[in-house]
Amino acid sequence: EAVAQPFRHSPHVAEFWNTISNAAFLVIGAVGLIRAWKSSWAILYTEAMLLVVGVGSCLFHSRRTWVGEVLDELPMSAMALGYLMCLDGRHVAESRRVRWGAYLAVFALTGSAWVLYLAFHQYEVFTTLFTLQVLVPALLSLRADRDRLGGVFSSSRGLWWAFFFTIILGKGLWELERYLHRRGACPRETSDPRFWLHPLWHLLSATAHGFWMRYANMLSEEGSPAKKGLKAA
């Protein structure tokens, strides 16, 4: 929509449908924040950041400015830091020394990537960083609480697999959109299904976030020291 017909549907909004579709982030973020109100600070932070992502994405797609792009993408990276923090104490880096060393390394990498992105306007730096920020916690969470949840393909991990297939589908549609962009073949009419690739990416990525956060919340509740103490008693 941005390449083929900016400001076509509204003189005030560059990408009307790409802007409107950010409602998915706002709705899913609000629902997640309400559901997780009594959860850990990391889960609350990550759910709240989805709302920030939705607002930033609205600003970017409505105006198509560099500042809007930064407000769209850096909150995504900041939110993805929360994905790792949601797993605190429930992955391979469980000892305090290893855990804080791993977190310092992740924050240093993230900060360095942000500086490179802002200084040189290299979009690939952001996409690589964000992919790693999502992939690493996702893989760590798949092996968390093996004694309680069982193996990778156990039914207890259904929310993780729902996240996986949803984000893979969304990523595939996003890559198709980028392919059309590179070839100068972006559709101009709303009757073309390919016109809706980016709004679908918004919907699917927000839904994938919802699935993964419900999974992370399950790990947090059942794997917390308080819960374990109650079960032991």
Side-chain angles (χ1 to χ4, degrees), residues 21-71:
S21 61
N22 283 292
F25 295 120
L26 301 178
V27 171
I28 291 176
V31 171
L33 196 59
I34 293 171
R35 180 185 291 118
W37 193 246
K38 295 183 179 180
S39 300
S40 69
W41 70 267
I43 290 177
L44 285 170
Y45 162 82
T46 310
E47 294 287 21
M49 281 305 302
L50 186 65
L51 296 174
V52 178
V53 168
V55 173
S57 185
C58 280
L59 293 173
F60 171 57
H61 288 293
S62 64
R63 306 310 302 168
R64 295 292 297 178
T65 64
W66 163 243
V67 173
E69 183 175 350
V70 171
L71 293 175

Side-chain angles (χ1 to χ4, degrees), residues 3 33 48 79 91 119 122 127 141 143 161 170 207 211 220 228:
V3 177
L33 196 59
M79 177 186 69
H91 53 72
Q122 292 294 318
T127 55
S141 70
R143 297 181 61 83
W161 286 104
T207 302
F211 282 135
S220 177
K228 290 180 179 179

Side-chain angles (χ1 to χ4, degrees), residues 89-175:
R90 277 169 288 280
H91 53 72
V92 292
E94 289 186 352
S95 70
R96 176 173 297 182
R97 180 177 300 179
V98 174
R99 183 163 71 246
W100 286 109
Y103 290 152
L104 286 173
V106 168
F107 279 101
L109 174 64
T110 301
S112 300
W114 285 8
V115 170
L116 288 173
Y117 171 64
L118 293 173
F120 299 103
H121 296 191
Q122 292 294 318
Y123 183 64
E124 290 73 17
V125 172
F126 163 73
T127 55
T128 301
L129 172 67
F130 185 67
T131 299
L132 289 174
Q133 287 182 299
V134 173
L135 182 63
V136 170
L139 293 178
L140 287 174
S141 70
L142 185 58
R143 297 181 61 83
D145 286 353
R146 294 180 65 185
D147 291 341
R148 179 172 60 87
L149 297 179
V152 169
F153 299 105
S154 69
S155 59
S156 300
R157 301 192 189 273
L159 286 170
W160 190 96
W161 286 104
F163 148 78
F164 176 77
F165 287 116
T166 306
I167 198 64
I168 288 296
L169 177 58
K171 175 70 170 174
L173 296 180
W174 183 74
E175 290 292 350

